[in-house]
C-alpha cells in the first residue's frame, strides 16, 4: 500500500483508536488522581498513567499524532511554544557550553538565551540571519553544543539551508534544534532532514482557533528523547486535558486549513507586492522572493504568515492603515482561522545586526476569509496609509 497522506493519517488516527463502541473524540479526563481496584494495581505501570501529570488519553493521542507527523520516535507536550524551545536547551546544555542561533530568532527565545542561560554559564553566538552555511559554521567553536535553527526566521523570514546545516553540525558533534512552527509539522520535516529535535508552537496552526497555548517537542533519537522527557518530568510540567483535547481536534483539519490559508496568503502577498506603497514582501513561497528556490527545494507547503516592507512611512501611517482595516484583527500570534496584522516596533532593534529596511514593517497572517475580501480591505488600509502620509 502506498504511504497515506497527512490528511488521511490524521483522521484515521481518530476513527481507528480503541475498540468497542466509543466516541470519535476521546473524553476530556480532568484528573490529578486516578483510582485503583486494589493495592497491587497501584504499582502496575502497564495499566496506564498512575497520576494526572503523566498525560491522560487526549494528551497521549495528541503526542502520538504529532510524533507521526514529525516522523519522530516520540513527542512531548509543553504549556507553550516558547517552552518547546526552552526545554530542549535546558535538557541538552551544561555550563560552559555554547549555543549558536540566528540573529533573527523569535524574540522570547532570544530573551531566554540572554536572560536565563547566559547568567548560568551557557553563552550564545548569534549569526547573521542570511549567513551562508560556511559563515554559520565559522562561528562553531569547540564549546558549541547546539545550533538553534528557526526557519523561516521571525519577522524577516530568512530561510536556512537546513539539510546542509544539519549534516555539517552532525559531522562536528553539534546538535540541532529547530523551531519549525511556520511549517506546522506539515510543510517541512526537520527530522527527515537530519535535525535532532523539532519543536513547534501548537498554539498556531495545530490549535488553529486562537484559543490555546501549547508546544510540542519531537525527536528522532531515543537518547535525546530521554533527556527531554526527564527535563519535562523534573520541571513538573504538563498541559491541561482541555487544551490537549482542543489541539487534537485542531489537528484533524490542520492540513486543509494550512493549505487553504497558504493559497489565500499567496494571492494577498502577490497583490501587495504589486502595490506602489510596498517595497518588498517577505514570503519565501512568493515566486521571485529571496530564498524562493530554497523553499521550493525543501518545502511542500507554506504558512500564511509573511512580512510586508513598506516604502518609507512612519508609525502614524502604519497605525492609520491598521485602524482602517475591518477584517484583519490587531493581535499578536498567528495560525488561527482569522486574519491578523501587527506593526513591528521594537524587536528588530534587539538584533545584533538589525536589517536595513526600506520602510515600516508589517506582518500579516492570512486566515480563512475570502482572499478577495481581504484584498479589498487592504486597499482601504493603503488609502488610509497614503492619506496619513500626505494629508489634505
Ligand atoms: C516562531 C515562533 N516560535 C515560538 C513561538 C511561541 O509560541 P507560544 O506563543 O505558544 O509560546 C512563536 C509565537 O509567536 C513563534 O512565532
Amino acid at each position: 500500500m502506498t504511504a497515506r497522506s497527512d490528511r488521511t493519517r490524521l483522521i484515521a488516527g481518530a476513527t481507528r483508536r480503541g475498540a468497542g463502541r466509543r466516541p470519535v473524540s476521546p473524553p476530556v479526563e480532568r484528573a490529578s488522581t486516578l483510582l485503583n481496584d486494589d493495592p497491587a494495581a497501584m504499582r502496575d505501570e502497564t495499566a496506564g498513567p498512575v497520576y494526572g501529570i503523566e498525560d491522560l488519553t487526549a494528551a497521549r493521542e495528541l503526542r502520538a499524532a504529532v510524533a507521526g507527523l514529525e516522523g519522530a520516535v516520540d513527542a512531548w507536550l509543553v504549556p507553550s511554544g516558547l517552552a518547546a524551545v526552552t526545554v530542549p536547551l535546558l535538557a541538552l546544555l551544561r555550563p560552559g557550553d555554547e549555543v549558536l542561533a540566528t540573529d533573527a530568532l523569535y524574540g522570547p527565545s532570544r530573551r531566554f538565551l540572554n536572560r536565563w542561560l547566559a547568567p548560568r554559564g551557557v553563552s550564545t553566538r548569534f549569526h547573521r540571519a542570511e549567513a551562508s552555511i560556511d559563515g554559520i559554521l565559522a562561528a562553531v567553536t569547540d564549546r558549541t553544543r547546539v545550533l538553534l535553527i528557526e526557519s523561516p526566521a521571525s519577522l524577516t523570514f530568512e530561510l536556512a539551508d537546513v539539510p546542509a546545516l544539519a549534516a555539517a553540525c552532525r559531522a562536528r558533534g553539534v546538535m540541532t534544534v529547530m523551531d519549525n512552527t511556520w511549517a506546522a509539522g506539515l510543510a517541512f520535516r526537520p527530522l527527515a532532514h537530519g535535525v535532532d529535535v523539532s519543536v513547534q508552537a501548537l498554539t498556531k496552526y495545530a490549535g488553529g482557533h486562537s484559543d490555546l497555548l501549547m508546544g510540542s517537542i519531537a525527536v528522532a533519537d531515543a537518547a535525546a528523547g530521554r533527556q527531554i522527557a526527564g527535563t519535562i518530568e523534573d520541571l513538573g510540567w504538563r498541559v491541561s486535558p482541555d487544551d490537549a483535547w482542543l489541539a487534537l481536534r485542531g489537528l484533524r483539519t490542520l492540513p486543509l486549513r494550512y493549505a487553504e490559508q497558504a493559497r489565500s496568503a499567496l494571492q494577498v502577498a502577490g497583490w501587495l507586492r504589486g502595490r506602489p506603497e510596498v517595497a518588498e514582501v517577505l514570503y519565501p513561497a512568493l515566486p521571485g522572493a529571496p530564498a524562493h528556490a530554497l523553499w521550493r527545494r525543501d518545502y511542500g507547503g507554506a504558512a500564511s504568515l509573511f512580512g510586508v516592507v513598506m516604502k518609507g512611512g512612519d508609525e502614524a501611517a502604519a497605525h492609520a492603515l491598521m485602524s482602517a482595516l475591518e477584517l484583519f484583527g490587531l493581535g499578536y500570534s498567528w495560525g488561527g482561522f482569522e486574519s491578523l496584522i501587527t506593526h513591528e516596533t521594537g524587536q528588530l532593534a534587539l538584533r545584533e545586526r538589525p536589517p536595513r529596511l526600506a520602510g515600516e514593517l508589517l506582518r500579516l497572517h492570512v486566515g480563512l476569509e475570502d482572499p478577495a475580501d481581504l484584498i479589498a480591505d487592504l486597499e482601504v488600509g493603503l488609502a488610509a496609509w497614503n492619506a496619513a502620509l500626505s494629508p489634505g
Side-chain angles (χ1 to χ4, degrees):
M1 195 175 55
T2 54
R4 289 180 172 142
S5 67
D6 292 327
R7 52 190 277 198
T8 305
R9 284 192 298 130
L10 284 169
I11 289 172
T15 54
R16 288 293 170 268
R17 47 175 286 275
R21 188 170 293 149
R22 57 201 186 274
V24 172
S25 292
V28 176
E29 297 155 308
R30 304 193 55 80
S32 54
T33 304
L34 298 156
L35 296 173
N36 300 271
D37 289 342
D38 56 64
M42 295 181 79
R43 302 245 172 95
D44 181 3
E45 291 190 358
T46 63
V50 300
Y51 188 54
I53 207 158
E54 291 171 36
D55 288 335
L56 305 181
T57 309
R60 287 179 178 228
E61 291 194 14
L62 177 58
R63 283 176 57 182
V66 170
L69 268 187
E70 299 263 10
V73 292
D74 207 345
W76 291 268
L77 305 172
V78 285
S80 68
L82 178 59
V85 176
T86 62
V87 161
L89 301 176
L90 288 170
L92 300 173
L93 294 159
R94 300 288 175 269
D97 289 345
E98 249 174 38
V99 183
L100 186 55
T102 172
D103 198 21
L105 197 64
Y106 173 58
S109 302
R110 180 190 196 96
R111 187 180 61 206
F112 176 76
L113 294 168
N114 288 336
R115 194 168 78 184
W116 179 270
L117 285 183
R120 290 164 177 83
V122 176
S123 53
T124 303
R125 287 166 178 251
F126 292 98
H127 65 77
R128 281 191 306 114
E130 63 283 14
S132 65
I133 300 280
D134 288 344
I136 296 172
L137 294 177
V140 170
T141 71
D142 55 5
R143 292 169 50 202
T144 310
R145 175 108 170 91
V146 167
L147 174 71
L148 177 57
I149 303 169
E150 188 187 313
S151 183
S154 277
L155 298 173
T156 39
F157 297 92
E158 294 87 353
L159 212 60
D161 185 343
V162 176
L165 272 178
C169 283
R170 187 153 291 189
R172 287 165 176 74
V174 174
M175 293 195 72
T176 43
V177 176
M178 177 167 177
D179 182 338
N180 192 40
T181 302
W182 195 85
L186 289 173
F188 183 73
R189 299 283 194 315
L191 303 183
H193 287 95
V195 169
D196 295 300
V197 183
S198 172
V199 308
Q200 50 163 323
L202 299 179
T203 308
K204 315 298 182 192
Y205 289 99
H209 295 73
S210 304
D211 52 9
L212 64 89
L213 286 151
M214 196 179 298
S216 64
I217 306 170
V219 297
D221 167 67
R226 274 192 296 279
Q227 279 177 283
I228 285 163
T231 301
I232 293 172
E233 201 171 27
D234 292 341
L235 292 172
W237 281 353
R238 72 149 191 161
V239 301
S240 102
D242 301 82
D243 288 348
W245 190 93
L246 281 172
L248 186 62
R249 183 164 77 171
L251 271 193
R252 309 293 183 208
T253 55
L254 166 67
L256 297 186
R257 287 184 285 104
Y258 189 79
E260 185 62 22
Q261 288 178 236
R263 253 191 300 280
S264 297
L266 202 56
Q267 274 188 52
V268 174
W271 180 81
L272 279 167
R273 188 167 59 185
R275 289 288 309 204
E277 300 86 352
V278 172
E280 202 183 349
V281 175
L282 309 175
Y283 190 32
L286 193 61
H292 181 66
L294 187 58
W295 174 80
R296 281 184 73 94
R297 189 194 75 184
D298 289 349
Y299 281 68
S304 58
L305 184 80
F306 56 85
V308 180
V309 182
M310 304 299 288
K311 284 188 189 150
D314 54 27
E315 181 162 86
H319 284 186
L321 186 161
M322 293 164 77
S323 302
L325 298 174
E326 288 185 356
L327 298 179
F328 286 79
L330 310 185
Y332 296 104
S333 200
W334 40 288
F337 56 81
E338 78 288 16
S339 291
L340 295 170
I341 187 167
T342 59
H343 174 226
E344 159 52 32
T345 47
Q347 279 204 48
L348 292 180
L350 299 178
R351 295 186 186 174
E352 287 179 0
R353 303 168 201 83
R356 280 195 214 99
L357 300 176
E360 297 299 302
L361 176 61
L362 302 170
R363 189 186 73 177
L364 268 65
H365 169 257
V366 172
L368 285 166
E369 304 90 341
D370 187 325
D373 292 331
L374 295 176
I375 287 172
D377 202 33
L378 287 167
E379 195 147 19
V380 174
L382 289 172
W385 163 273
N386 288 326
L389 288 178
S390 35

